[in-house]
Amino acid sequence: MELFFEFLATLKNTVVDVLPILSIILGFQLLVIRKPIPHVKQVGFGFIYVLIGLALFLLGLEKALFPLGKMMAEQLTAPEFIHSGEQVLKTIHWSDYTWVYVFAAAIGFSTTIAEPSLIAVAIKAEEVSGGAINANSLRISVAIGVAIGIALGSYRIVVGHPIHYYIIAGYVVVVIQTFFCPKLIVPLAYDSGGVTTSTVTVPLVAALGLGLASTIPGRSPLIDGFGLIAFASLFPIIAVMAYAQLTQAKAHQAVRTIEKRKRIKINKRKLKQKQQEPTKSSIQDKQDR
Amino acid sequence: MNQQFLVFLKALLGSCKDLLPIILVIAFFQFAVLQQPMPNVGDILVGLVLVVLGLTFFIYGLEMGLFPIGESMAQAFAKKGSISWLLTFAFCLGFGTTVAEPSLIAVAKEAASVAASGGIIDDTLASQLSYANGLRFTVAFAVGLAIVIGVLRIIRGWPIQYLILGGYVLVVMMTMIAPSWIIGIAYDSGGVTTSTITVPLVTALGVGLASAIKGRNPMIDGFGLIAFASLTPMIFVMLYGMVIS
């Protein structure tokens, strides 16, 4: 029963969040387009499903995953865990935090796989591309990008480098990739950067950044705690373009191997013919004798 | 009825698969690395069931409601042929969905306390509030503008890479001159703007427009709206920081 009331409260919040969008859609539909919404019943039910789904999703996250994930981020970054009971030294070494990087990558990957807005974009991309882009492969490459991004971002907080060097270097990679990448994937890759950081990823990643920045001597949680999300939205762009490049390279290779096989076959045939000719003549020779 | 149930069951199974990585990661770190027992197992199980159900409902509703409405509106605007109304709609959609975005409100609040403790603004509640609100409206305006630019790009068929790369150059140049305390917040603000409901709607809008306008490819021209929405806030927040200091 208590759970039900909690659900109602979450549902109310979700509805309030959606209200501006809903009023803009309805306002333009009724005042500017001035046509009834096609399949209005189905669309209405769809909206209700989305709201109920989001409310359940958020409530479940609050109940199960967020407290645990946040606690883990705190425990993994706590000095007691890092230095395993030894005296805390003033200077820290980046390799003391190996488990933090592993956790950052793992949590980045797994939360991205569950991110609803990424699922939406992946479904649309598969539909629009006629199946040329596989929804699951797209999601996995985005997730790998987020994993690398958050691990690198945690490393940056530990060593204390200024953020803009990393971001600018990332931009340079994106620019170079853009020129060598299949044109079809470029807009989708750019989009995937913004999509990844949403309901599931942001709270957990923010907890990780805050935990790291507040336990490492010399880092300010308020200044260094920011910036992980920027990493999580830059690296998926690189990852998706890399995935497209790999697929393209594989396709080229496949074409090349097929051509190679053909050539080998033709050569073999020619060889056989050449070999057969003398044998024929030898048989004839025998017959002649 | 039976078949519908089967479809639902399949979707439920899909959601379970989507969640499996998180469960594995958390279980691994809890048992193997931190070596602690799982606290309140009952709560966690209930929560997981809710998350799976929620994801299933969301995806169901997505294809029933959000995608169709986005595409049908795009087609209606394309048929109507009024670019100014379309751009107004684009701006409203971007601005309206961002200004009330909970994660943006949270980030703006946090940013205000950074600024107050750093002595950039007065350490009073009123000035913190006005700073946070300023940040929120800046980001919302930037997202509105982004959707407008993105829609204009789809209509005119401009190649996306030059616009985005131009934006990157602008971000880099602004980073050089903007005050250092705003940079982390500015970079993050690009990521937090796009919510779970905005993304499918905006994607459907873009794809719908690109398929309704002759000569546009939905794959090349339809995607990219969200990319703009995560780029412009960085530029505008840095600008905001420069104006304030």
Side-chain angles (χ1 to χ4, degrees):
Chain A
M1 205 61 215
E2 196 189 328
L3 194 69
F4 184 69
F5 283 121
E6 275 179 69
F7 170 69
L8 282 188
T10 320
L11 187 63
K12 200 198 97 202
N13 285 343
T14 317
V15 171
V16 169
D17 289 343
V18 173
L19 224 52
I21 308 178
L22 208 61
S23 49
I24 288 167
I25 288 178
L26 283 182
F28 273 86
Q29 186 77 38
L30 297 178
L31 301 176
V32 180
I33 296 176
R34 289 194 197 157
K35 267 182 207 150
I37 301 169
H39 314 292
V40 74
K41 219 173 172 183
Q42 182 205 329
V43 169
F45 270 115
F47 254 89
I48 293 171
Y49 280 153
V50 163
L51 289 177
I52 293 176
L54 260 187
L56 283 173
F57 190 70
L58 290 175
L59 186 66
L61 287 179
E62 288 294 340
K63 272 231 159 330
L65 293 174
F66 285 167
L68 208 57
K70 283 177 187 166
M71 204 171 70
M72 252 173 215
E74 277 163 27
Q75 283 176 345
L76 283 171
T77 53
E80 297 83 46
F81 176 77
I82 301 289
H83 305 282
S84 53
E86 290 167 35
Q87 224 182 4
V88 181
L89 303 168
K90 265 196 183 150
T91 50
I92 48 152
H93 196 257
W94 66 271
S95 60
D96 295 342
Y97 286 83
T98 313
W99 275 123
V100 174
Y101 310 138
V102 175
F103 179 71
I107 209 82
F109 182 90
S110 56
T111 53
T112 305
I113 291 291
E115 198 67 80
S117 45
L118 178 62
I119 297 178
V121 169
I123 290 174
K124 201 83 218 170
E126 185 171 302
E127 187 191 309
V128 169
S129 69
I133 292 166
N134 179 273
N136 283 333
S137 316
L138 179 68
R139 280 167 61 200
I140 289 172
S141 27
V142 172
I144 291 173
V146 175
I148 295 171
I150 295 182
L152 199 65
S154 315
Y155 169 76
R156 180 198 77 88
I157 294 178
V158 170
V159 295
H161 290 163
I163 182 170
H164 50 268
Y165 293 161
Y166 287 81
I167 300 292
I168 290 171
Y171 281 170
V172 171
V173 175
V174 170
V175 171
I176 295 170
Q177 272 184 307
T178 302
F179 287 107
F180 295 103
C181 182
K183 289 288 154 285
L184 220 60
I185 201 88
V186 171
L188 186 65
Y190 288 165
D191 264 4
S192 62
V195 167
T196 48
T197 44
S198 198
T199 350
V200 198
T201 318
V202 170
L204 286 179
V205 166
L208 185 68
L210 228 63
L212 266 179
S214 55
T215 50
I216 295 173
R219 305 282 173 280
S220 135
L222 296 169
I223 291 172
D224 296 299
F226 287 108
L228 271 185
I229 295 167
F231 277 83
S233 45
L234 178 61
F235 281 81
I237 304 180
I238 297 173
V240 170
M241 287 205 272
Y243 161 69
Q245 282 172 305
L246 274 179
T247 332
Q248 198 185 30
K250 249 190 198 167
H252 275 303
Q253 210 177 22
V255 169
R256 241 178 278 150
T257 46
I258 288 169
E259 275 173 4
K260 217 179 188 180
R261 268 186 211 146
K262 264 189 201 160
R263 235 178 288 141
I264 291 171
K265 255 187 198 165
I266 292 168
N267 283 349
K268 266 187 187 165
R269 225 176 273 155
K270 275 182 189 164
L271 261 175
K272 255 186 194 167
Q273 280 172 351
K274 267 183 197 164
Q275 279 171 344
Q276 272 171 354
E277 274 163 21
T279 46
K280 260 186 200 166
S281 57
S282 65
I283 292 167
Q284 271 179 343
D285 276 355
K286 271 180 192 169
Q287 280 175 342
D288 281 347
R289 272 174 211 164
Chain B
M1 185 60 216
N2 213 352
Q3 206 173 1
Q4 230 173 357
F5 183 70
L6 227 68
V7 169
F8 182 75
L9 219 61
K10 222 177 167 185
L12 215 56
L13 205 72
S15 306
C16 285
K17 257 193 230 155
D18 293 337
L19 273 172
L20 198 64
I22 298 192
I23 297 168
L24 288 180
V25 166
I26 287 193
F28 172 74
F29 274 87
Q30 189 75 2
F31 294 133
V33 181
L34 293 167
Q35 294 178 345
Q36 277 161 7
M38 206 55 98
N40 11 320
V41 179
D43 257 12
I44 289 170
L45 280 180
V46 171
L48 282 179
V49 170
L50 292 182
V51 170
V52 167
L53 274 179
L55 201 58
T56 311
F57 268 112
F58 175 81
I59 293 169
Y60 228 63
L62 196 74
E63 305 207 51
M64 267 176 74
L66 283 185
F67 280 158
I69 189 87
E71 282 185 26
S72 82
M73 285 193 89
Q75 265 150 19
F77 274 119
K79 234 187 223 165
K80 203 171 156 63
S82 156
I83 290 182
S84 53
W85 271 122
L86 177 58
L87 295 184
T88 319
F89 175 69
F91 183 82
C92 287
L93 198 65
F95 186 89
T97 54
T98 310
V99 84
E101 171 68 29
S103 57
L104 177 64
I105 295 172
V107 166
K109 231 190 224 165
E110 238 167 280
S113 60
V114 182
S117 67
I120 285 99
I121 53 170
D122 296 333
D123 205 352
T124 60
L125 222 65
S127 65
Q128 272 194 34
L129 196 71
S130 83
Y131 175 84
N133 277 339
L135 209 58
R136 250 176 73 198
F137 280 97
T138 308
V139 173
F141 176 80
V143 174
L145 194 71
I147 309 282
V148 168
I149 296 173
V151 165
L152 211 59
R153 173 191 88 85
I154 296 175
I155 297 172
R156 296 261 184 265
W158 295 330
I160 188 171
Q161 51 266 41
Y162 299 113
L163 288 171
I164 294 285
L165 300 188
Y168 282 169
V169 171
L170 218 59
V171 169
V172 170
M173 283 188 336
M174 300 275 289
T175 306
M176 307 286 175
I177 42 174
S180 59
W181 50 267
I182 197 86
I183 289 173
I185 301 159
Y187 284 177
D188 267 6
S189 69
V192 295
T193 48
T194 42
S195 81
T196 316
I197 292 187
T198 322
V199 167
L201 256 180
V202 166
T203 305
L205 181 78
V207 169
L209 266 181
S211 30
I213 298 172
K214 249 188 201 165
R216 298 284 169 275
N217 179 331
M219 200 60 217
I220 292 178
D221 301 297
F223 289 95
L225 282 179
I226 296 159
F228 286 106
S230 39
L231 183 64
T232 53
M234 294 196 228
I235 297 168
F236 277 80
V237 169
M238 282 196 261
L239 202 68
Y240 180 69
M242 278 154 65
V243 169
I244 283 242
S245 55

